[in-house]
Amino acid sequence: MTAPVSSNRPFLNRRLAAFGTTIFAEMSALAARTGSINLGQGFPDTDGPARIAEAASRAVLTGLGNQYPPGPGVPELRAAVAAHQQRFYGLGYDPDSEVLVTAGATEAIAATLLALLEPGDEVIALEPFYDSYAACIAMAGAARVPVTLRPHAGAFTLDLDELRAAVTPRTRLLLLNTPHNPTGTVLTPAELTAIAELAVERDLLVVTDEVYEHLVFEGAHVPLAGLPGMRERTVSISSAGKTFSFTGWKVGWVTAPPELVAAVRSAKQYLTYVASGPFQYAIAEALALPDAYYDGFRADLAAKRDILADGLTAAGFEVFRPRGTYFITTDITPLGEKDGLAFCRALPERCGVVAIPNQVFYDDQDAGRTQVRWAFCKKTEVLREAAERLRRL
Ligand code: PMP
Ligand code: GLN
């Protein structure tokens, strides 16, 4: 993985030398500087439910969480996370010993990898990978082993033989992400079953990032922890940012057996110790929202997916219509383009839109060089305007 911004950082240690500024910061700054429509960084342009914002404001004003909350998270939120896992997936977790609240999924990923990995361990991750995975594996002194999702019949698919072949005696864990950012792939029940069998056979831990669990447009989300033999070896990670459209609140969580939660908590307490006190109470309320909220949120985004996917198709891109997440990956080759990073850097000047070049999420840069990602968690009129601008390319 190369740094998206070439820069001179003489003090940065060797483990992090390849990691410059994240692509999200670079592209959001570019959008702000050029006044472009920002379909780059994945954040909604409409806040989540007003009653949840009111719950946060009430928490602040009544002194709930204004001082350090308990290290594992406030009991109300831990209970709400456990109830959510039971309600949606029939998975039972003890709120006291099997749930840990974190500063977003980002801290959950960092703490988990720092806690579980020894220097030199290998981590298998699906490529393209979310950018913090590579950085956190590097911070832990471990080595990432990518297994590349490849375009096939309009979607990015996992080659199970390749996954199986990637396991070595040094493999410590599988780091999965489904629904998958940036490709929008949702691993199928058959793929998840094969992954679970492999993990059991080779006695691997599995860390699964499920922050888009409520954004599956076809079928239902299947948590890996629910498959045979998986509960005891799986660290499941999620967060409130995507599901409730409050990405700035940074409330995330881990669910896992007590020994794994205890390990992750040991690392987590020296990262932030705690975060987001009043927001934890508000998210406890959010998780208990009725099914109508979750269904409405998903339906709204499914409609937005179709608007942007159709717009991108009309503009000439090859579109991989996602089965989950709020991102669409496209291939720019039909437009006569060869390099996604150059394309994305030039796009604001050319038509006032910002997108993310997927190649920065690859070790094998060539595998992702012509792919570009677009976020559709934006107002309908914004998506229509973006599609209009892209048609002029
Ligand atoms: N994992 C994935 C796959 C993501 O797309 C993101 C970005 N939201 C995160 C983790 C980080 O989540 P959070 O904002 O809760 O830290
Ligand atoms: N997860 C968001 C995305 O993929 C970005 C979060 C961030 O900026 N770190 O766009």
Side-chain angles (χ1 to χ4, degrees), residues 100 111 115 260-271:
L100 174 68
L260 283 168
V261 163
V264 177
R265 192 171 55 229
S266 295
K268 181 259 182 308
Q269 66 191 341
Y270 298 114
L271 294 174

Side-chain angles (χ1 to χ4, degrees), residues 24 40-42 130 181 212 242 327 373:
F24 304 116
Q41 195 176 26
Y130 182 59
N181 178 8
Y212 300 99
K242 312 294 167 179
F327 303 112
R373 189 197 83 174

Side-chain angles (χ1 to χ4, degrees), residues 1 23-24 127-129 131 182 356-363:
M1 182 169 286
I23 194 69
F24 304 116
E127 180 183 68
F129 22 67
D131 68 346
I356 298 287
N358 286 16
Q359 73 197 71
V360 302
F361 305 134
Y362 283 83
D363 279 344

Side-chain angles (χ1 to χ4, degrees), residues 4 51 69 80 170 176 209 218 368-369:
R51 63 180 270 203
R170 286 168 60 200
L176 298 178
D209 175 347
E218 288 133 47
R369 197 173 298 284

Side-chain angles (χ1 to χ4, degrees), residues 151-167:
H152 172 70
F156 284 82
T157 53
L158 173 64
D159 182 335
L160 288 166
D161 291 332
E162 212 178 304
L163 177 67
R164 192 167 279 279
V167 179

Side-chain angles (χ1 to χ4, degrees), residues 235-362:
V235 176
S236 303
I237 292 173
S238 193
S239 98
K242 312 294 167 179
T243 301
F244 301 111
S245 299
F246 288 116
T247 60
W249 292 8
K250 297 298 284 189
V251 177
W253 51 85
V254 164
T255 48
E259 319 78 64
L260 283 168
V261 163
V264 177
R265 192 171 55 229
S266 295
K268 181 259 182 308
Q269 66 191 341
Y270 298 114
L271 294 174
T272 58
Y273 178 49
V274 291
S276 313
F279 297 125
Q280 293 192 25
Y281 290 92
I283 295 303
E285 285 194 31
L287 285 165
L289 285 170
D291 288 354
Y293 168 75
Y294 292 91
D295 295 343
F297 174 64
R298 185 170 44 247
D300 180 53
L301 277 155
K304 290 177 170 177
R305 171 193 66 165
D306 292 342
I307 291 170
L308 187 60
D310 292 348
L312 289 163
T313 303
F317 295 89
E318 180 186 1
V319 174
F320 297 90
R321 200 173 280 254
R323 292 180 60 227
T325 77
Y326 44 48
F327 303 112
I328 296 175
T329 284
T330 55
D331 198 298
I332 57 176
T333 311
L335 280 81
E337 299 284 344
K338 292 187 172 55
D339 185 277
L341 189 51
F343 174 80
C344 288
R345 286 187 171 143
L347 199 59
E349 284 299 321
R350 291 177 64 190
C351 74
V353 178
V354 160
I356 298 287
N358 286 16
Q359 73 197 71
V360 302
F361 305 134
Y362 283 83

